[in-house]
Amino acid sequence: MEEDGPLLREVYPDLVAELERLLEDEGERNLSILAHDLRIVAECGCGEPHCQSIRTAPHPPGEPYGPGHRNVLLDPDEGMLVLDVLNERIVYVEILFRPPMARRDVTRPQ
């Protein structure tokens, strides 16, 4: 498990709750459980105004995922949510054509 980035649920709690619910609806119980502990490794950075995608595991840009990769297309009320899953681990959350997400950065006690 990646320990470098913040937990996705701490930054975008509504997104994680939605992912968990939609994955359950798709019969993807294991992925629903795993979604709770996703970390933000990097934001997409493609510059497209309709994209808010998040990398949840390190991966060289432009390289194929290879064997063990699959996409999980979810059915949100708004926009598109597509997960890249590699060996049953969510490695990328594609978030397209949705209203801007408000980032909630958590400040931790020092």
Side-chain angles (χ1 to χ4, degrees), residues 46-82:
C46 71
E48 294 294 327
H50 62 270
C51 180
Q52 300 177 79
S53 300
I54 298 168
R55 188 168 306 288
T56 58
H59 185 80
E63 294 291 319
Y65 284 111
H69 173 258
R70 67 184 176 111
N71 287 117
V72 177
L73 283 67
L74 300 175
D75 189 22
D77 291 335
E78 197 166 1
M80 293 177 58
L81 290 173
V82 181

Side-chain angles (χ1 to χ4, degrees), residues 69-109:
H69 173 258
R70 67 184 176 111
N71 287 117
V72 177
L73 283 67
L74 300 175
D75 189 22
D77 291 335
E78 197 166 1
M80 293 177 58
L81 290 173
V82 181
L83 305 180
D84 281 298
V85 177
L86 183 61
N87 299 321
E88 295 310 304
R89 180 174 174 220
I90 300 167
V91 295
Y92 193 78
V93 181
E94 193 169 1
I95 307 162
L96 302 171
F97 305 106
R98 293 169 58 99
M101 295 187 300
R103 186 178 174 107
R104 184 194 315 175
D105 285 310
V106 177
T107 55
R108 299 181 188 274

